[in-house]
Amino acid sequence: MWLGFDIGATKLAVAVGDDAGGIAARRRRPIRATGDPRADVDAMLRDAHELLAEAGVPASALRGVGVSAPGPIDYARGTVESPPNLPGWGSVALREWLSAAFAAPIHLENDANAAALAEWRFGAGRGARHLVYLTMSTGVGGARARRAAVSRPRRRR
């Protein structure tokens, strides 16, 4: 089983799902950044642990935790960098904080990129060779996916 967080400017969604995209349990609630990212993440963790209990999935059974977050991501450091719609979130060590709560690997991704990948894998883009994804919510973003880029490393010519 996998645990997923979708952090938005106005909502937090948390889900427990399987490899095939099936959802065992999910929760969505309004969110407002407090200006204290540690307090915001602690609230996310409470939601996650309640949801895991509701689904009957022990945290030790998780294969991984996926997080889609707005704004720039420093993938090497595992940080969210000053997302424009989360006041007070300067350089937030999200991967480190979540690693302290879960023994599973933590995967951090920009929200538009994560949404594009989800559509390509499970949604309207399934089977497409190329996909362009535009997101228009609190902010505007976009991403693209190509089968070659997602399924195998690109070869240099």
Side-chain angles (χ1 to χ4, degrees):
M1 298 300 279
W2 296 84
L3 177 66
F5 292 98
D6 179 18
I7 304 168
T10 59
K11 62 95 177 105
L12 171 70
V14 185
V16 178
D18 60 26
D19 286 339
I23 303 296
R26 73 176 122 207
R27 175 178 293 178
R28 180 184 171 117
R29 69 168 171 84
I31 187 174
R32 176 170 293 146
T34 64
D36 178 354
R38 189 65 207 195
D40 296 337
V41 172
D42 286 346
M44 288 171 42
L45 290 171
R46 281 191 298 278
D47 285 339
H49 288 295
E50 288 172 8
L51 192 66
L52 287 167
E54 179 184 311
V57 176
S60 61
L62 292 175
R63 293 183 59 200
V65 177
V67 183
S68 74
I73 306 291
D74 183 328
Y75 295 99
R77 293 179 36 221
T79 58
V80 179
E81 299 294 327
S82 300
N85 50 5
L86 295 174
W89 284 47
S91 181
V92 176
L94 197 52
R95 184 173 58 210
E96 178 184 326
W97 293 355
L98 294 176
S99 291
F102 300 105
I106 309 298
H107 305 277
L108 182 59
E109 185 58 77
N110 168 272
D111 56 357
N113 293 342
L117 182 58
E119 280 298 332
W120 182 79
R121 175 91 193 276
F122 300 111
R126 184 184 289 183
R129 186 164 175 84
H130 300 275
L131 172 80
V132 173
Y133 184 91
L134 300 175
T135 178
M136 291 163 216
S137 185
T138 305
V140 176
R144 70 181 177 98
R146 287 185 322 145
R147 180 172 304 282
V150 174
S151 62
R152 65 180 180 276
R154 194 173 178 183
R155 296 170 75 183
R156 292 190 178 259
R157 293 180 191 207

